[in-house]
Amino acid sequence: MTSQTLDLSQVIPPQTLVHLAREWLAEDTPNFDFAGVCVGSQEVRATLLCKSPGSVLAGCPFFSAVFMELGCIVEWIYTEGQTLGMESVTQTAVVRGPARCVLLGERPALNCLARSSGIATRCRQLLDTAKTACWEGQLSGTRKTTPGFRLVEKYSMLVGGVSMHRHDLSGMVMLKDNHVWASGSIAQAVRDARSVCGFSSKIEVECGNYEEAREAAIAGADIVMLDNFTPQALHMAALSLKQQFPSVLIEASGGVTPLSLSQFFSPHVDIISLGCITQGCPTVDFSLKVQGKLPSN
């Protein structure tokens, strides 16, 4: 299933949306809203405009939560995960409520929507590259996320159609080079990790060469990450590992970009993770324009 057949907003608990909305609003208006006195509480209608043609819409639950907290109503013209129009400006939603409240929520809501849609758009573009090449593995994000904003960014990956990888340190055991160095060996690190995580968590080991990857597979790692391998070295290592350990998942990571992604596709690579999904990812250009007052009761 894809984000177009699932209502992904259901994965976010309502109390989480309320908490985030209040946190963003408190950060933006810690004391006084001086400009609020200029507009008052007259009911207005504002149109959400997208000025980045062909973008994927993501972050609607967060955008709506901000305005709901302020007593405003959001009516969406497009739905989460849809590709917006190719016109220079696409009307995406309508916000109704007291003028000062609409303007109070404008920037926090737009910041979230722009970042979220940017990530979903990049994910969809990467996914299209994989589909064009008929590669059947999974693309994945990483933990290289913005502090305090990981939930939004991970959610945006789902909307864009790629895997989140692990959400945080408790989602899966990832033994990186520093873990191995501190433990003494890959085998020891895997044994120690398994003794505490049990059968319910997968163990992944970051490996810098083929010998380390083979040691990790022998030690019982569920996933072997081939980190910073050149495409040629990756394909050779993945083939050899799959021949010896067919049940071990092979992940490629490190230095993969939208331009170089296709070089890493292989029938023996199950996962490709990309930090560029969140790092240096362009945002989508949204604006909110008040278009008039609503008739007063």
Side-chain angles (χ1 to χ4, degrees):
M1 288 188 177
T2 68
S3 59
Q4 296 176 329
T5 59
L6 290 174
D7 182 2
L8 290 173
S9 65
Q10 301 302 306
V11 305
I12 310 170
Q15 65 270 25
T16 299
L17 289 172
V18 172
H19 170 75
L20 288 173
R22 290 177 178 175
E23 185 177 82
W24 295 333
L25 287 166
E27 180 184 67
D28 209 39
T29 52
N31 296 301
F32 300 105
D33 175 21
F34 293 112
V37 72
C38 303
V39 296
S41 297
Q42 170 69 43
E43 292 286 313
V44 297
R45 177 183 187 274
T47 302
L48 175 67
L49 304 174
C50 177
K51 295 178 284 187
S52 299
S55 298
V56 175
L57 178 63
C60 297
F62 307 104
F63 184 94
S64 295
V66 170
F67 285 109
M68 186 179 299
E69 187 65 21
L70 294 167
C72 301
I73 297 173
V74 180
E75 298 172 356
W76 291 97
I77 299 170
Y78 286 81
T79 58
E80 190 84 326
Q82 273 192 298
T83 300
L84 302 178
M86 295 305 296
E87 301 82 6
S88 58
V89 177
T90 300
Q91 294 189 15
T92 308
V94 174
V95 181
R96 291 183 172 87
R100 62 177 296 271
C101 294
V102 170
L103 298 180
L104 193 66
E106 176 185 10
R107 183 43 53 196
L110 288 178
N111 284 348
C112 180
L113 196 69
R115 176 69 172 154
S116 186
S117 296
I119 291 171
T121 300
R122 169 155 285 183
C123 288
R124 191 69 58 82
Q125 292 166 346
L126 296 170
L127 196 62
D128 287 344
T129 299
K131 289 180 178 178
T132 299
C134 298
W135 183 64
E136 297 181 354
Q138 291 194 53
L139 297 177
S140 171
T142 70
R143 280 197 307 124
K144 295 175 181 178
T145 53
T146 307
F149 211 62
R150 179 178 295 171
L151 186 148
V152 176
E153 294 177 349
K154 289 287 190 176
Y155 169 82
S156 305
M157 296 176 196
L158 291 180
V159 175
V162 309
S163 170
M164 296 190 303
H165 210 285
R166 53 179 182 159
H167 181 71
D168 52 36
L169 291 176
S170 62
M172 181 177 70
V173 181
M174 170 80 83
L175 301 176
K176 299 176 74 68
D177 52 355
N178 287 327
H179 293 96
V180 171
W181 180 86
S183 299
S185 69
I186 288 176
Q188 187 63 51
V190 172
R191 281 196 296 270
D192 290 345
R194 185 63 72 192
S195 70
V196 291
C197 77
F199 66 89
S200 61
S201 295
K202 284 185 169 65
I203 295 177
E204 177 168 6
V205 180
E206 178 186 88
C207 303
N209 55 55
Y210 173 75
E211 289 70 27
E212 291 179 353
R214 191 170 185 278
E215 182 183 352
I218 292 172
D222 301 288
I223 307 171
V224 171
M225 176 195 285
L226 304 179
D227 190 42
N228 288 312
F229 278 53
T230 64
Q232 183 178 4
L234 170 74
H235 299 323
M236 293 176 60
L239 171 61
S240 179
L241 290 168
K242 279 294 188 181
Q243 288 174 337
Q244 299 175 70
F245 312 97
S247 63
V248 172
L249 295 176
I250 305 299
E251 176 178 343
S253 187
V256 186
T257 69
L259 292 177
S260 67
L261 174 61
S262 60
Q263 300 176 40
F264 292 84
F265 293 147
S266 163
H268 310 296
V269 173
D270 303 289
I271 307 152
I272 300 177
S273 54
L274 305 95
C276 66
I277 286 177
T278 48
Q279 291 190 319
C281 180
T283 58
V284 173
D285 187 6
F286 286 101
S287 65
L288 191 66
K289 297 298 182 182
V290 175
Q291 296 187 319
K293 298 179 180 180
L294 297 176
S296 57
N297 294 330

